[in-house]
């Protein structure tokens, strides 16, 4: 079975991660992007696929460039590492740093 994400799933997940990193609720993102909050919710839950025009609205609201949005810089070697990176990436930036530092300290002991 193929466990790879579709492009639509990647877009939905990336929007959700960036929204959470910026401390935004779906409601705030919908206001900033001038999209319905139900649409944002359905997009993040794989029930809608974003059109290019909609993606532009969301990127503007998140203050993200195209290259930042499609940035691929972390490659996990195992499913466990992939899961860890996914969980950490969904946290707000300040909490990410605290958790990463805690893990580093555990590994040094």
């Amino acid at each position: 079975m193929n466990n790879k994400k579709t492009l639509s799933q990647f877009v939905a997940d990336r929007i959700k991660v960036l929204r959470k990193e910026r401390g935004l609720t779906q409601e705030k993102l919908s206001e900033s992007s001038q999209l319905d909050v139900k649409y944002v919710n359905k997009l993040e839950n794989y029930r809608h696929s974003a059109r290019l025009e909609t993606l532009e609205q969301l990127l503007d609201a998140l203050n993200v460039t195209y290259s930042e949005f499609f940035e691929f810089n972390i490659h996990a070697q195992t499913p466990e590492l992939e899961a860890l990176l996914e969980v950490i990436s969904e946290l707000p930036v300040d909490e990410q740093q605290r958790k990463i530092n805690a893990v580093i300290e555990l590994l040094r002991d």
Side-chain angles (χ1 to χ4, degrees), residues 2 14 16 21 26 35 39 44-45 64 68 89 103:
N2 188 347
R14 187 74 172 130
K16 186 176 186 177
E21 281 181 358
Q26 288 181 345
L35 297 168
Y39 179 84
E44 287 187 1
N45 289 292
V64 175
E68 290 170 327
S89 71
V103 169

Side-chain angles (χ1 to χ4, degrees), residues 6-23:
T6 65
L7 180 57
S8 293
Q9 289 171 325
F10 169 81
V11 168
D13 290 343
R14 187 74 172 130
I15 288 168
K16 186 176 186 177
V17 165
L18 291 168
R19 175 181 62 76
K20 287 184 174 185
E21 281 181 358
R22 284 152 178 74

Side-chain angles (χ1 to χ4, degrees), residues 39-100:
Y39 179 84
V40 173
N41 178 275
K42 288 179 180 180
L43 179 67
E44 287 187 1
N45 289 292
Y46 309 144
R47 294 184 304 202
H48 275 306
S49 295
R51 294 184 359 237
L52 290 177
E53 295 82 8
T54 306
L55 182 57
E56 285 185 275
Q57 286 175 258
L58 290 163
L59 295 184
D60 285 344
L62 292 165
N63 197 28
V64 175
T65 65
Y66 303 125
S67 60
E68 290 170 327
F69 185 79
F70 289 104
E71 181 178 28
F72 299 96
N73 61 359
I74 299 176
H75 301 284
Q77 300 288 323
T78 65
E80 294 82 7
L81 185 54
E82 179 70 35
L84 176 63
L85 291 173
E86 186 173 331
V87 169
I88 289 174
S89 71
E90 292 177 357
L91 299 171
V93 175
D94 61 326
E95 193 172 339
Q96 285 180 14
Q97 193 60 52
R98 284 197 339 265
K99 302 283 184 177
I100 290 169

